[in-house]
């Protein structure tokens, strides 16, 4: 090989390194620009798919803090075809695989793992091979493994290069920190039982949206919901059954909410949905969608397994330019809810003067 050819190869190598560093800088900015947990996971996986030119990616994370295991994040499965049993597979934090990544926190291919006597036959590797994993990358934050990226083979069927593994290792470190920050933020702003945003977060975001309406002339609606006869339900079936009902009602609210909506727990069994940009008609339609979903819902009594049903009343109010603060908009939604309750329950009513 001539001196010029050798020099060209070296320059090409360093140009690739510089390009990768620029990519990582942009990725770092993107990952640290959001604390939305679900959006962040989706962004990380899409980056992995693009960078490694693979169609298969998934992420194992701790479902709860200090649970001692990793599970597949439900919305993180891209390309892998898994049964419900496979989706529920758990990787214990004290497993040999996680211990290995704590000592050597870098990307490793399945071919490399199969050369290690300490790892090749453990249940986790058997499962991951069956799943279709070709490369594993540990997520790291604060000196510990806090997740695992699982990626399939390349579309070109080529082997993973050392540069690609280095890139993925650095990316996973950035991702691990971003996921950790998003998880902490979620713990601080989400009601752990229902998965809805807490009261303080609701009030803060509602004020922000009302300020935006004043400045830009946009629309805003607020939904208030309340489980009908909930006190009697608790007295009859017990608080455990009541909690199950609240969890299931909250799921209907979360499932119906659009990405820019804010589903929150106002207090007790009273939930709300902030709807930026929505007209009264759209808010009424959404209220009816949620009400009907709850009406058709069947909840299992945790005490004896019997079927239980509840209904929901919904009140709707819309932003007015005369609104001085959150209280004005909330009071109208609450009055509409009161009217729904006292005109027969299980209905959606919009506030009218």
């Amino acid at each position: 090989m001539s001196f010029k050819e050798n020099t060209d190869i070296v320059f090409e190598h360093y140009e690739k390194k510089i390009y990768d560093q620029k990519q990582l800088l942009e990725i770092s900015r993107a990952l640290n620009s959001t604390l939305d947990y679900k959006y962040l996971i989706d962004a990380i996986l899409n980056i992995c798919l693009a960078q490694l030119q693979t169609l298969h990616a998934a992420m194992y994370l701790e479902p709860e803090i200090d649970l001692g295991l990793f599970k597949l994040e439900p919305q993180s499965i891209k390309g892998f075809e898994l049964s419900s049993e496979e989706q529920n597979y758990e990787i214990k934090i004290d497993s040999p695989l996680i211990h290995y990544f704590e000592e050597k926190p870098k990307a490793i291919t399945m071919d490399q793992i199969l050369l290690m006597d300490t790892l090749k036959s453990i249940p986790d590797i058997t499962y991951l091979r069956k799943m279709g994993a070709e490369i594993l990358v540990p997520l790291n934050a604060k000196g510990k493994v806090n997740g695992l990226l699982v990626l399939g083979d390349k579309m070109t069927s080529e082997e993973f290069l050392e540069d690609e593994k280095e890139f993925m290792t650095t990316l996973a470190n950035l991702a691990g920190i971003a996921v950790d920050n998003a998880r902490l933020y979620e713990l601080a702003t989400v009601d752990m039982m229902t998965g809805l945003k807490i009261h303080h977060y609701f009030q803060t975001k509602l004020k922000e949206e009302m300020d935006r309406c004043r400045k830009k002339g946009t629309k805003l609606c607020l939904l208030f919901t309340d489980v009908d006869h909930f006190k009697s339900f608790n007295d009859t079936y017990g608080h455990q059954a009541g909690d199950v009902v609240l969890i299931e009602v909250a799921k209907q609210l979360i499932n119906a909410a659009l990405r820019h909506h804010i589903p929150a727990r106002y207090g007790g069994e009273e939930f709300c949905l902030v709807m930026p940009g929505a007209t009264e008609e759209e808010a009424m339609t959404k209220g009816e969608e949620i009400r009907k979903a709850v009406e058709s819902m069947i909840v299992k009594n945790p005490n004896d397994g019997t079927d239980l049903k509840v209904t929901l009343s919904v009140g709707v109010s819309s932003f007015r330019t005369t609104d001085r603060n959150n209280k004005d908009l909330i009071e109208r939604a609450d009055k509409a809810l009161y009217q729904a309750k006292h005109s027969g329950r299980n209905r959606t009513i919009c506030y009218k003067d």
Side-chain angles (χ1 to χ4, degrees):
M1 184 183 293
S2 68
F3 175 76
K4 183 179 182 305
E5 288 173 329
N6 189 52
T7 304
D8 288 343
I9 290 171
V10 171
F11 271 118
E12 188 178 330
H13 173 75
Y14 280 109
E15 282 176 353
K16 176 72 165 55
K17 284 278 189 184
I18 292 168
Y19 174 78
D20 284 351
Q21 291 302 315
K22 285 181 178 178
Q23 284 283 92
L24 285 168
L25 184 60
E26 289 303 313
I27 289 167
S28 177
R29 286 174 180 163
L31 294 183
N32 286 292
S33 68
T34 180
L35 288 169
D36 187 317
Y37 192 65
K38 292 179 180 177
Y39 173 81
L40 186 62
I41 290 166
D42 198 54
I44 292 166
L45 292 171
N46 286 332
I47 291 167
C48 292
L49 293 173
Q51 290 295 327
L52 290 189
Q53 296 182 318
T54 177
L55 296 174
H56 304 85
M59 191 183 298
Y60 278 87
L61 295 168
E62 273 190 280
E64 297 173 29
I65 286 181
D66 291 332
L67 197 60
L69 56 87
F70 296 119
K71 288 186 72 173
L72 271 174
E73 192 67 31
Q75 76 272 15
S76 80
I77 306 166
K78 293 185 180 286
F80 290 114
E81 294 183 5
L82 306 174
S83 66
S84 56
E85 184 181 348
E86 289 171 328
Q87 288 183 34
N88 289 321
Y89 184 84
E90 299 171 352
I91 298 176
K92 301 290 192 296
I93 284 181
D94 60 358
S95 78
L97 180 62
I98 302 304
H99 282 314
Y100 172 83
F101 280 132
E102 284 173 347
E103 293 177 9
K104 298 179 180 178
K106 57 184 181 180
I108 186 170
T109 64
M110 198 57 75
D111 288 341
Q112 289 174 305
I113 290 174
L114 294 178
L115 296 174
M116 301 178 190
D117 292 336
T118 54
L119 291 181
K120 66 180 183 182
S121 300
I122 65 171
D124 293 339
I125 295 302
T126 303
Y127 163 74
L128 291 168
R129 285 183 67 196
K130 182 183 174 185
M131 174 180 170
E134 288 295 330
I135 183 167
L136 307 178
V137 196
L139 272 63
N140 281 277
K142 300 174 184 174
K144 61 174 281 190
V145 175
N146 69 333
L148 187 66
L149 272 170
V150 180
L151 304 164
D153 57 0
K154 289 185 180 181
M155 288 184 282
T156 57
S157 299
E158 295 174 354
E159 291 186 0
F160 291 100
L161 303 175
E162 284 303 315
D163 281 355
E164 290 173 323
K165 287 190 279 186
E166 285 179 22
F167 185 93
M168 289 307 302
T169 298
T170 307
L171 170 62
N173 287 333
L174 296 172
I177 294 166
V179 166
D180 201 47
N181 290 339
R183 173 62 64 84
L184 290 172
Y185 180 73
E186 188 172 70
L187 286 172
T189 60
V190 172
D191 174 61
M192 287 297 104
M193 186 180 86
T194 61
L196 298 168
K197 293 295 184 180
I198 61 173
H199 183 93
H200 176 72
Y201 182 93
F202 157 74
Q203 292 282 8
T204 302
K205 296 302 287 187
L206 183 62
K207 183 180 185 304
E208 288 177 9
E209 294 301 335
M210 290 179 73
D211 288 343
R212 185 175 288 111
C213 287
R214 292 187 189 98
K215 289 176 184 176
K216 299 187 177 181
T218 53
K219 296 186 180 299
L220 171 68
C221 281
L222 176 64
L223 261 65
F224 258 41
T225 73
D226 189 79
V227 179
D228 296 327
H229 300 297
F230 189 66
K231 185 180 183 304
S232 299
F233 183 95
N234 268 342
D235 292 342
T236 304
Y237 301 107
H239 287 280
Q240 274 191 319
D243 286 348
V244 172
V245 163
L246 293 182
I247 291 167
E248 293 304 316
V249 170
K251 282 181 185 176
Q252 304 306 325
L253 202 71
I254 292 167
N255 291 339
L258 301 180
R259 177 167 169 73
H260 61 286
H261 291 168
I262 304 158
R265 187 175 188 180
Y266 190 78
E269 74 275 15
E270 201 166 49
F271 301 158
C272 52
L273 183 67
V274 182
M275 300 178 63
T279 63
E280 282 188 356
E281 185 180 357
E282 289 168 335
M284 284 290 291
T285 301
K286 185 62 68 177
E288 276 295 281
E289 179 188 336
I290 295 166
R291 184 193 65 77
K292 288 175 182 176
V294 170
E295 186 179 30
S296 61
M297 182 177 82
I298 296 174
V299 178
K300 291 291 181 183
N301 189 331
N303 301 311
D304 57 18
T306 55
D307 291 344
L308 300 174
K309 291 181 74 66
V310 293
T311 58
L312 196 71
S313 294
V314 184
V316 177
S317 66
S318 60
F319 172 79
R320 296 176 177 179
T321 53
T322 54
D323 287 341
R324 296 159 298 172
N325 49 41
N326 290 10
K327 185 180 177 183
D328 293 340
L329 183 57
I330 291 170
E331 276 188 354
R332 291 199 301 277
D334 200 41
K335 285 178 180 177
L337 177 61
Y338 179 87
Q339 189 179 349
K341 286 279 191 186
H342 288 267
S343 59
R345 294 183 170 84
N346 190 26
R347 61 191 62 203
T348 302
I349 288 182
C350 185
Y351 178 84
K352 301 292 180 187
D353 288 326

